[in-house]
């Protein structure tokens, strides 16, 4: 019951909710150039384009619903209260599935932030940010997103959490983006690591440590959660 479980998710867990992944065929980065919408330079040279990009993704996020994989993780947290979620996703589907203890590494699409104080967040009502609106501190609000090339403020905490894991469950990530992708290396040698993805990622030196479950999230996650409850409850 007191197993420390860390669930590490990427875009793949939200794919069956209808939200695009980034690097699958037809993914987001085939339709938009990262340098146009997700870098500090893009924000400085063409902020309206960035705002429009995140408005479209926010509209899709609010129209989407959590899927059986999100709900299975909530069930896992009910049985194992020490379960912590660390996500690369900016959607709020974990929270809307009833999960708590959700640590976002790359920001949250429902929030905007001051440009003077990155910790000064504002919850956006609805899907549309209007570029030019200002934070109370006078700075123009920006999406609360970690752009490529920016620091990942929550990564240090994420590593501390991962280093305490008895079990790590990795779901729907290509493990392409650092430092997030290195989170696996912080799990203790004694930890059980499971990875759920319909496509086999390149695990390199980790291949022999990871129990790979080749499945879509809505199939693999509920089955693994039930197996862990059966084994450890
Ligand atoms: N169930 C589970 N996994 C799936 C599913 C599904 N139904 N469909 C696709 N996947 C897997 C893909 O096989 C791939 O391994 O999800 C993964 C998606 O990989 P990416 O598109 O690279 O997304 P992610 O790993 O989350 O990207 C990390 O990159 O662009 C940045 O900030 C962005 O947080 C993002 C980061």
């Amino acid at each position: 019951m007191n197993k420390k479980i860390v669930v590490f998710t990427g875009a793949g867990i939200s794919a069956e909710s209808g939200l695009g992944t980034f690097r699958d065929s037809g993914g987001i980065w085939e339709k938009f150039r990262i340098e146009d919408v997700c870098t500090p330079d893009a924000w400085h040279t063409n902020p309206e384009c960035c705002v429009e990009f995140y408005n479209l993704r926010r509209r899709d996020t609010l129209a989407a619903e959590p899927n059986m994989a999100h709900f299975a993780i909530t069930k896992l947290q009910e049985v194992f209260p020490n379960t912590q979620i660390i996500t690369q996703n900016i959607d709020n589907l974990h929270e809307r599935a009833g999960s708590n203890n959700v640590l976002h590494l790359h920001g949250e699409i429902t929030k905007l932030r001051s440009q003077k104080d990155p910790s000064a967040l504002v919850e956006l009502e609805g899907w549309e940010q209007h570029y030019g609106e200002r934070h109370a501190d006078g700075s123009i609000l920006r999406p609360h997103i970690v752009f490529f090339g920016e620091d990942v403020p929550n990564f240090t905490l994420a590593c501390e959490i991962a280093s305490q894991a008895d079990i790590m469950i990795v779901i729907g990530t290509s493990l392409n983006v650092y430092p997030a992708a290195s989170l696996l290396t912080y799990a203790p040698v004694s930890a059980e690591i499971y990875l759920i993805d319909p496509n086999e990622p390149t695990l390199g030196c980790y291949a022999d440590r990871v129990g790979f479950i080749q499945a879509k999230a809505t199939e693999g996650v509920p089955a693994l959660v039930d197996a862990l409850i059966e084994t450890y409850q």
Side-chain angles (χ1 to χ4, degrees):
M1 290 290 273
N2 60 353
K3 284 286 181 188
K4 288 195 181 75
I5 302 177
V6 175
V7 180
F8 177 44
T9 62
I13 195 172
S14 299
E16 290 160 272
S17 295
L19 297 182
T21 58
F22 293 94
R23 296 171 185 83
D24 288 317
S25 60
I28 291 170
W29 297 141
E30 281 185 12
K31 297 169 188 149
F32 297 89
R33 288 174 0 119
I34 289 173
E35 51 272 29
D36 293 340
V37 296
C38 193
T39 62
D41 187 49
W43 176 252
H44 291 306
T45 53
N46 193 347
E48 291 91 339
C49 180
C50 298
V51 166
E52 176 61 18
F53 174 69
Y54 286 102
N55 281 349
L56 295 175
R57 295 190 59 207
R58 191 176 300 109
R59 188 185 57 189
D60 293 347
T61 295
L62 297 182
E65 293 297 331
N67 62 52
M68 293 311 292
H70 296 105
F71 289 115
I73 294 166
T74 301
K75 177 180 169 184
L76 190 69
Q77 286 192 315
E78 287 160 1
V79 178
F80 300 99
N82 281 335
T83 300
Q84 169 77 45
I85 298 165
I86 299 171
T87 186
Q88 300 171 87
N89 298 341
I90 58 176
D91 67 54
N92 59 355
L93 296 184
H94 282 302
E95 292 89 345
R96 286 165 55 199
S99 287
N100 51 43
N101 294 334
V102 182
L103 183 67
H104 288 265
L105 293 181
H106 296 157
E108 297 178 67
I109 199 154
T110 59
K111 296 175 180 165
L112 306 177
R113 73 171 189 237
S114 156
Q115 291 191 78
K116 282 183 183 167
D117 173 4
S119 66
L121 307 182
V122 170
E123 192 73 36
L124 179 65
E125 290 303 315
W127 66 274
E128 193 173 14
Q129 175 189 1
H130 300 286
Y131 178 68
E133 289 173 343
R134 293 182 182 272
H135 187 275
D137 66 11
S139 66
I140 289 180
L141 286 162
R142 61 162 273 186
H144 175 48
I145 302 296
V146 176
F147 292 148
F148 282 89
E150 292 185 321
D151 287 344
V152 183
N154 287 338
F155 187 65
T156 304
L157 175 56
C159 295
E160 285 164 25
I161 294 166
S163 71
Q164 307 291 321
D166 296 313
I167 298 169
M168 179 177 276
I169 305 172
V170 183
I171 307 164
T173 176
S174 63
L175 298 171
N176 260 301
V177 172
Y178 287 81
S182 67
L183 199 65
L184 273 75
T185 64
Y186 290 86
V189 174
S190 57
E192 293 173 45
I193 304 179
Y194 301 94
L195 188 146
I196 299 170
D197 195 307
N199 304 306
E200 186 159 10
T202 45
L203 288 166
C205 62
Y206 270 82
D208 59 341
R209 278 200 59 198
V210 172
F212 175 52
I213 300 167
Q214 186 153 18
K216 291 184 173 183
T218 56
E219 294 153 9
V221 178
L224 178 61
V225 164
D226 288 345
L228 291 173
I229 292 172
E230 179 73 25
T231 307
Y232 292 115
Q233 188 174 30

